[in-house]
Amino acid sequence: MIKLNTLLSLLIIALISFACNKQQSYLPEKGVSFALNEYRKKTIDSIHYAIELDIPAGKSAKIIGRETISFNLNALDSALVLDFNADSSKISEIKIGDEVLPYNFVNEHIVIDSRHLKKGRNAITIDFTAGDLSLNRSEDYLYTLFVPDRASTCFPLFDQPNLKATYTLTLKTPQGWEAVSNGGLISKAIEKGKSVYRFNKTKPISSYLFAFAAGKFFKTTKSVDGCEMTMYYRETDTAKVNRNQDEVFELHGKSLEWLENYTAIDYPFEKFDFVLFPSFQYGGMEHPGAIFYNEPALFLDENASVNRRMARASVIAHESAHMWFGDLVTMDWFNDVWLKEVFANFMAAKIVHPSFPEINHDLRFLLAHYPNAYEVDRSAGTNPILQKLGNLKNAGTLYGAIIYMKAPIVMRQLERKIGAPLMQESLREYLKTYSFGNARWDDLIGIIDQKTPQNIAQWSNVWVKTPDMPEYAFDSANVVAQLRDSVSARAWEQPLQSRKVTSVGQNAFFPNSDGTGYGYFKMDPASVAYFFRNYGSGDSLFSNPVFRGAMLVNIWEGFLRGNGPGPEAFVQNMLAALSKEQNPLLVDYLLGNLQTAWWMFLSAPQREGYQKEAEAVLWQLLLKTEDKGIKTSYFRAFKGIALTDDGWKKMESLWNGKLDVKGLVLSEEDKISLAYELALKGKGETTTILNQQLTATKNPDRKARMQFVIPALSHDEQTRDAFFESLKKEENREKEAWVLDALSYLHHPLRAQSALKYLRPSLELLQEIQLTGDIFFPTRWLHNTFAGHSSPEAAEIANQFLYERPDYPYFLKNKILQATDMTNRAVKSAKVYGQNNHSASSSQ
């Protein structure tokens, strides 16, 4: 018996040793793979993070942290994997109780053998130094931005959306700093010369929604319909703050009230605060209890156009809607990230209507969604709304216009297909069923399919799960017909309206006349000419702004495909239409297309031929219009294209205050942009102009931003070269909004020839930028790099880059194809119309 027991003991030890070695050799890949996500979802629940962080003054000193992670574990068949996308040296110690735990650090993960754990409740304490990648630190403030997978760059955790957790947070900050997080403030004390903020335990939220901010902020607290809200901000212009703050609070209050009524669910979190940052990467971020915003998007200038005011109302409604759609119910995996965004945009469009009764909201929806969605869908880099995602590290590449712009169009089609009452009933059931949990798009489709005899799953497969846009043209029977689809047997089910007009024996055909259909609607040249001849007429059809908007979208799409008049005729049509247009939404759309055609599709000699006329038309319209918002739009368009001596002098006189245009109020940001344009176009002492503006700029955040951008405006090419070289270092790309400003001037069409040498290095940086930047930065980096380039050389650089890399990541390849689509179309246009776009750029 003794020998048998000994043999059994040795066998058991061997088996344990084998199991332990097997677990220790487990090598999770970087990021969070779908397989790891699925395993942890099945084996871990009831997670709580108790986090303490000691934040020093300045931006370079270390932030020391301690956290205790408690959770239920229901299986011990694999090692425990925590995510920590930082250097292993940032981990000081890991303990369970008083026992120091051994661990492996593998591919940005902490791997703990299961023999140190137990089934049931576990608690692990980790002492660490916080990673900086997602902390957005400035000298006197910082804020987190953890979407989609960046929480693990700051502290160790299970960083996936379907492992919701509760959080308690303690922050130690320099005295005089404010602090805010998801939970309500329990206490604030002074300990050892520092402020100590203790926040309440949150409701269950996904890791990307956990957030905090600390620093020097002003704050205002108001009660709106019984809901107390606190706004934190850094804007130093008290007149601007006072002019905007009541409206900001009121818009939040209206959004919450509307959402509570629509969903039949009260606001689901403890408190409702929001923080405004001067150079925030997004319009807003929906952290429950602590929404973060881009400050200029909420604190508008005195002459803000109706588009800007609508955009403010929309972003507030969007982030408020996320409290239910995204925060209360969260997507299960980030391939369904579009689900939370489409609901937020879809609801936002409904919410803002009552606040703007003077606006045609069908026109607003058309112009706010369709052109931006088409910009991606017409490119070779288009993608379906619902994309595949194998690893969470690539989740940021899923974001874009298809999610934010096409998806709401599709959602509106779904509502019209099943009816608004059934849509609301289905969404209420969806929210109730999955509250404080996770859900997929197919879960909602399943709910709807049970309530209607229609085959919604089949409809969804075409519109949501396949890419591209349908194309239509009038057939021989004068009926709009879908052209042959590249995907076999795919039918884009949607109702379409069209108009036919007969005049003097000629027919004009206007497809998608109500602007609700989605796709490219081809118009013949005679109908395009008829449209512009009758633009501004008293005809009942042409007096409908939605009709005008829908046809302008059709014509722009046709122009980009080489269907219709060439660039010169297109510019003439835009200028003529502007002279007859009073609708502010259509004015902005016309001006946007005019400026794109001006810089991307006209050659330098062609622009020179139209320069005086274009400046004169825009200046006269600026003077003539009484609408302050439209006046501001014309001012910004004039500033963008003015190049003659007379135009430059007008800009200089506006900048230095010698010229006063009635009704045109220039903000500090307007003065800065004027100084930039004056420096770029170089008809005076550019260094003096920039230095004077720098001295005159009072806001310290805007001053710092300007100091960063100025080298990109230099007339010295070596200075610009050195600036671009500096962007190769990650620390010089921290302020992404600043970088994007600088890129737009570095690659301005007037500098495009000298900027060609930056294109390939910019593409070579893209993979690093995806890993180190925030979710929109790769797309914006590419857009602001290529938006000024229309030469064959620029197109060839991008094409050759991809040709040399057949295995380049699919998501990033698509981003490049999207960003260079306009460049390729401009090159093709130049060939068709005999232009020489290579000469379109000087080498200033």
Side-chain angles (χ1 to χ4, degrees):
M1 283 295 289
I2 294 175
K3 290 183 179 179
L4 181 59
N5 285 341
T6 301
L7 287 172
L8 286 172
S9 297
L10 289 172
L11 180 59
I12 291 170
I13 290 170
L15 288 171
I16 291 172
S17 176
F18 174 77
C20 291
N21 288 334
K22 184 179 179 181
Q23 287 187 20
Q24 289 176 352
S25 65
Y26 173 60
L27 297 176
E29 63 184 88
K30 289 185 177 181
V32 176
S33 67
F34 183 70
L36 177 60
N37 162 81
E38 289 295 280
Y39 178 78
R40 293 197 302 202
K41 182 176 70 171
K42 293 176 182 176
T43 57
I44 301 169
D45 60 57
S46 305
I47 305 167
H48 177 71
Y49 299 97
I51 302 171
E52 301 176 12
L53 295 171
D54 191 340
I55 300 173
K59 60 179 291 185
S60 57
K62 294 179 179 179
I63 296 177
I64 304 301
R66 167 174 287 184
E67 65 171 332
T68 297
I69 309 172
S70 53
F71 54 94
N72 284 341
L73 187 63
N74 58 41
L76 296 173
D77 58 349
S78 181
L80 183 76
V81 178
L82 288 162
D83 312 319
F84 191 40
N85 184 3
D87 191 272
S88 61
S89 64
K90 292 185 180 295
I91 304 170
S92 301
E93 189 175 65
I94 302 178
K95 301 173 75 173
I96 290 183
D98 294 328
E99 177 190 354
V100 177
L101 283 185
Y103 63 89
N104 287 336
F105 190 83
V106 182
N107 287 336
E108 303 165 358
H109 298 284
I110 298 169
V111 181
I112 299 172
D113 197 287
S114 64
R115 73 177 185 270
H116 302 294
L117 305 167
K118 61 185 179 183
K119 283 191 175 182
R121 200 71 181 162
N122 292 266
I124 297 174
T125 298
I126 304 175
D127 291 325
F128 64 97
T129 300
D132 276 341
L133 183 60
S134 55
L135 285 181
N136 299 283
R137 296 176 72 179
S138 297
E139 289 301 320
D140 59 353
Y141 71 97
L142 64 79
Y143 61 90
T144 60
L145 200 51
F146 290 154
V147 63
D149 63 337
R150 297 301 173 86
S152 61
T153 67
C154 181
F155 61 95
L157 78 164
F158 306 110
D159 200 3
Q160 61 191 64
N162 55 22
L163 286 182
K164 288 193 168 183
T166 54
Y167 295 78
T168 54
L169 176 66
T170 299
L171 290 181
K172 296 181 180 179
T173 74
Q175 286 193 52
W177 281 27
E178 298 286 348
V180 61
S181 187
N182 308 91
L185 183 63
I186 297 174
S187 66
K188 176 185 176 183
I190 303 298
E191 297 178 8
K192 298 181 180 179
K194 301 197 78 169
S195 295
V196 180
Y197 292 86
R198 293 182 173 86
F199 297 96
N200 201 11
K201 183 179 179 180
T202 70
K203 296 285 184 68
I205 58 175
S206 296
S207 52
Y208 76 91
L209 293 169
F210 174 61
F212 58 87
K216 294 182 179 179
F217 293 96
F218 304 104
K219 67 177 183 178
T220 301
T221 299
K222 289 192 176 185
S223 181
V224 181
D225 295 327
C227 177
E228 186 174 272
M229 308 175 186
T230 298
M231 175 177 69
Y232 299 80
Y233 59 94
R234 285 181 57 82
E235 177 59 67
T236 55
D237 185 341
T238 55
K240 176 180 278 193
V241 173
N242 292 336
R243 187 172 62 246
N244 284 279
Q245 64 177 354
D246 287 346
E247 183 74 5
V248 168
F249 279 101
E250 183 180 346
L251 287 170
H252 279 100
K254 287 181 177 180
S255 296
L256 293 181
E257 181 183 15
W258 189 95
L259 286 156
E260 287 180 335
N261 290 333
Y262 185 89
T263 65
I265 297 174
D266 291 341
Y267 174 68
F269 298 98
E270 176 190 6
K271 68 180 181 71
F272 192 90
D273 295 339
F274 42 98
V275 192
L276 282 56
F277 301 100
S279 296
F280 192 59
Q281 290 92 321
Y282 321 148
M285 180 58 206
E286 67 267 20
H287 312 118
I291 299 175
F292 292 173
Y293 287 111
N294 186 31
E295 195 167 65
L298 267 62
F299 288 162
L300 303 183
D301 296 332
E302 190 172 345
N303 269 21
S305 67
V306 68
N307 252 347
R308 291 294 301 276
R309 291 187 286 113
M310 283 282 290
R312 174 175 65 180
S314 295
V315 74
I316 288 173
H318 179 105
E319 303 308 332
S320 299
H322 270 313
M323 301 300 109
W324 286 261
F325 299 97
D327 295 2
L328 177 63
V329 178
T330 311
M331 67 273 163
D332 186 73
W333 180 238
F334 255 93
N335 67 322
D336 262 325
V337 64
W338 75 278
L339 188 56
K340 73 183 182 73
E341 299 303 333
V342 69
F343 282 139
N345 262 8
F346 180 68
M347 295 300 161
K350 291 176 174 289
I351 292 167
V352 299
H353 288 190
S355 297
F356 293 86
E358 76 279 16
I359 296 298
N360 185 313
H361 293 289
D362 287 335
L363 176 65
R364 164 69 182 176
F365 189 90
L366 168 70
L367 297 180
H369 293 88
Y370 286 73
N372 289 318
Y374 291 163
E375 187 173 332
V376 174
D377 244 357
R378 81 170 79 94
S379 77
T382 187
N383 55 265
I385 293 173
L386 178 58
Q387 301 179 67
K388 294 180 180 179
L389 180 66
N391 192 301
L392 200 57
K393 69 180 180 180
N394 295 319
T397 63
L398 302 182
Y399 288 80
I402 296 299
I403 282 178
Y404 285 95
M405 302 302 171
K406 182 178 181 179
I409 296 168
V410 173
M411 189 62 72
R412 187 170 73 160
Q413 289 189 5
L414 175 60
E415 184 182 55
R416 290 179 172 177
K417 188 176 181 66
I418 66 175
L422 181 55
M423 174 69 93
Q424 183 178 19
E425 178 188 333
S426 300
L427 289 177
R428 284 181 171 183
E429 181 175 332
Y430 166 85
L431 290 172
K432 183 178 179 181
T433 301
Y434 298 103
S435 283
F436 293 108
N438 301 82
R440 303 167 302 140
W441 165 249
D442 287 342
D443 293 323
L444 175 61
I445 291 299
I447 290 172
I448 296 173
D449 261 338
Q450 291 177 354
K451 299 175 182 291
T452 176
Q454 302 181 73
N455 192 337
I456 302 303
Q458 179 178 308
W459 170 89
S460 170
N461 285 338
V462 172
W463 282 101
V464 176
K465 298 183 179 181
T466 64
D468 210 351
M469 59 197 287
E471 298 187 7
Y472 301 91
F474 277 95
D475 63 13
S476 58
N478 298 331
V479 175
V480 173
Q482 181 181 326
L483 302 180
R484 187 168 60 87
D485 199 306
S486 59
V487 178
S488 177
R490 180 173 60 168
W492 301 83
E493 183 183 333
Q494 60 177 330
L496 298 174
Q497 289 189 17
S498 300
R499 293 292 297 269
K500 174 184 173 183
V501 176
T502 301
S503 176
V504 196
Q506 292 183 333
N507 293 326
F509 301 100
F510 300 113
N512 196 31
S513 55
D514 66 348
T516 61
Y518 185 86
Y520 167 46
F521 297 88
K522 186 176 181 180
M523 291 176 62
D524 64 276
S527 297
V528 172
Y530 181 90
F531 174 76
F532 282 114
R533 280 200 310 271
N534 289 274
Y535 202 99
S537 71
D539 181 275
S540 60
L541 181 62
F542 284 82
S543 64
N544 182 346
V546 175
F547 170 77
R548 299 200 303 276
M551 294 309 103
L552 288 172
V553 171
N554 289 350
I555 291 165
W556 175 245
E557 290 302 308
F559 168 72
L560 294 176
R561 289 166 170 80
N563 177 43
E568 290 181 274
F570 183 85
V571 166
Q572 289 176 327
N573 284 336
M574 293 298 101
L575 290 171
L578 281 165
S579 298
K580 303 172 184 177
E581 187 57 73
Q582 300 297 317
N583 186 289
L585 302 178
L586 289 171
V587 167
D588 281 351
Y589 182 66
L590 286 164
L591 287 173
N593 289 347
L594 169 67
Q595 290 176 87
T596 301
W598 183 266
W599 288 114
M600 293 295 288
F601 289 87
L602 292 182
S603 67
Q606 287 173 329
R607 287 201 307 270
E608 186 176 353
Y610 287 101
Q611 189 73 49
K612 289 184 179 179
E613 177 188 351
E615 288 183 21
V617 169
L618 294 179
W619 186 256
Q620 287 305 312
L621 289 170
L622 185 160
L623 296 177
K624 184 175 69 174
T625 184
E626 295 182 1
D627 184 291
K628 291 184 177 181
I630 297 178
K631 191 179 290 287
T632 298
S633 296
Y634 279 124
F635 156 71
R636 290 175 177 161
F638 177 84
K639 171 172 59 73
I641 72 165
L643 203 57
T644 65
D645 289 343
D646 179 66
W648 194 91
K649 288 175 182 176
K650 283 186 171 73
M651 287 196 297
E652 183 188 36
S653 298
L654 286 170
W655 171 72
N656 61 27
K658 293 181 180 179
L659 175 62
D660 179 50
V661 174
K662 183 180 178 181
L664 181 65
V665 179
L666 299 181
S667 67
E668 189 170 77
E669 289 179 341
D670 286 327
K671 291 293 187 74
I672 292 171
S673 68
L674 272 171
Y676 288 168
E677 291 290 335
L678 292 169
L680 175 74
K681 293 166 181 176
K683 300 179 187 293
E685 290 293 333
T686 58
T687 303
T688 301
I689 289 170
L690 291 171
N691 286 338
Q692 286 180 4
Q693 183 58 51
L694 196 60
T695 301
T697 300
K698 303 302 182 185
N699 182 280
D701 296 313
R702 284 193 282 272
K703 187 184 288 284
R705 184 172 184 162
M706 192 177 175
Q707 288 170 324
F708 180 88
V709 172
I710 282 175
L713 286 156
S714 175
H715 281 254
D716 177 54
E717 191 169 337
Q718 290 184 338
T719 301
R720 302 200 300 272
D721 291 347
F723 175 79
F724 178 77
E725 284 297 313
S726 74
L727 296 181
K728 295 180 179 180
K729 296 181 179 179
E730 180 188 338
E731 60 267 27
N732 294 326
R733 302 192 302 266
E734 287 180 352
K735 300 287 189 182
E736 294 177 3
W738 299 7
V739 173
L740 296 172
D741 275 358
L743 287 177
S744 67
Y745 291 108
L746 203 65
H747 293 277
H748 190 280
L750 295 174
R751 299 270 177 82
Q753 191 64 30
S754 67
L756 283 171
K757 59 177 174 285
Y758 308 142
L759 295 182
R760 190 177 183 90
S762 296
L763 292 169
E764 290 168 347
L765 280 170
L766 186 59
Q767 285 182 278
E768 179 186 331
I769 284 171
Q770 186 224 329
L771 294 174
T772 60
D774 286 299
I775 53 177
F776 298 116
F777 194 41
T779 298
R780 291 170 177 172
W781 168 273
L782 288 171
H783 178 271
N784 284 30
T785 294
F786 280 94
H789 291 275
S790 56
S791 68
E793 294 92 335
E796 179 58 24
I797 288 169
N799 294 336
Q800 186 64 25
F801 178 85
L802 291 176
Y803 176 78
E804 293 169 1
R805 294 163 174 79
D807 297 324
Y808 195 69
Y810 166 79
F811 294 115
L812 294 181
K813 177 184 178 181
N814 275 358
K815 298 296 183 187
I816 295 172
L817 292 172
Q818 293 165 19
T820 56
D821 180 71
M822 196 68 76
T823 301
N824 287 319
R825 291 181 187 277
V827 171
K828 184 178 180 180
S829 173
K831 290 180 181 179
V832 170
Y833 294 102
Q835 300 161 202
N836 179 9
N837 270 20
H838 178 76
S839 64
S841 309
S842 74
S843 56
Q844 287 186 19

